[in-house]
Amino acid sequence: MKNENESQLLSADQQKAQLIKEILIRHIFQQRPPTLDQLARKINMNRRKMEEVFERRYGKSVYRYFLDIKMKRILRYVHENKLSLKEIAEKFSYSDQSALTV
């Protein structure tokens, strides 16, 4: 019985981690994602538990995950050559293209 309850909790945790991921993706064109406190409130979970659940599911912190998916999307835009670097920076809410250069 205990293992069955643990499986259900893990499944619920995985669903919440997936929901966080979806929220982050919806904010990909904004400079910053919702704060951790805002995310925790949206999924009705305490912040520390939310961070643990997310990191267990995706292997990185919420903020690191957001930056990684954002940079992958930016790189895709760069490789497609459909927009200038300035236009890509604007699309992703950066004040100027120097934010995208190394």
Side-chain angles (χ1 to χ4, degrees), residues 11-24:
S11 178
D13 285 351
Q14 288 177 341
Q15 289 175 4
K16 289 196 176 197
Q18 176 67 30
L19 182 56
I20 295 165
K21 176 184 171 184
E22 291 168 10
I23 293 167
L24 293 174

Side-chain angles (χ1 to χ4, degrees), residues 12-68:
D13 285 351
Q14 288 177 341
Q15 289 175 4
K16 289 196 176 197
Q18 176 67 30
L19 182 56
I20 295 165
K21 176 184 171 184
E22 291 168 10
I23 293 167
L24 293 174
I25 290 170
R26 285 196 304 264
H27 288 84
I28 198 77
F29 295 110
Q30 296 176 1
Q31 190 169 12
R32 291 188 177 91
T35 66
L36 294 174
D37 289 331
Q38 289 169 332
L39 285 170
R41 279 193 302 275
K42 283 184 182 201
I43 65 163
N44 196 29
M45 184 180 270
N46 128 356
R47 178 181 161 172
R48 184 189 316 250
K49 170 89 171 162
M50 176 200 70
E51 289 177 284
E52 290 172 3
V53 164
F54 190 88
E55 192 157 341
R56 190 171 351 134
R57 177 81 169 100
Y58 294 105
K60 51 185 90 171
S61 72
V62 172
Y63 188 66
R64 170 57 36 202
Y65 185 87
F66 177 76
L67 288 178
D68 287 353

Side-chain angles (χ1 to χ4, degrees), residues 28-29 64 66-85 87-89 91-92 94 99-102:
I28 198 77
F29 295 110
R64 170 57 36 202
F66 177 76
L67 288 178
D68 287 353
I69 61 171
K70 186 171 188 165
M71 288 302 123
K72 285 178 185 174
R73 184 78 54 97
I74 288 170
L75 279 173
R76 192 171 82 207
Y77 274 83
V78 168
H79 289 295
E80 289 174 355
N81 289 322
K82 293 180 182 176
L83 299 173
S84 71
L85 199 52
E87 291 169 321
I88 294 170
K91 184 168 188 65
F92 286 88
Y94 289 105
L100 302 179
T101 58
V102 179

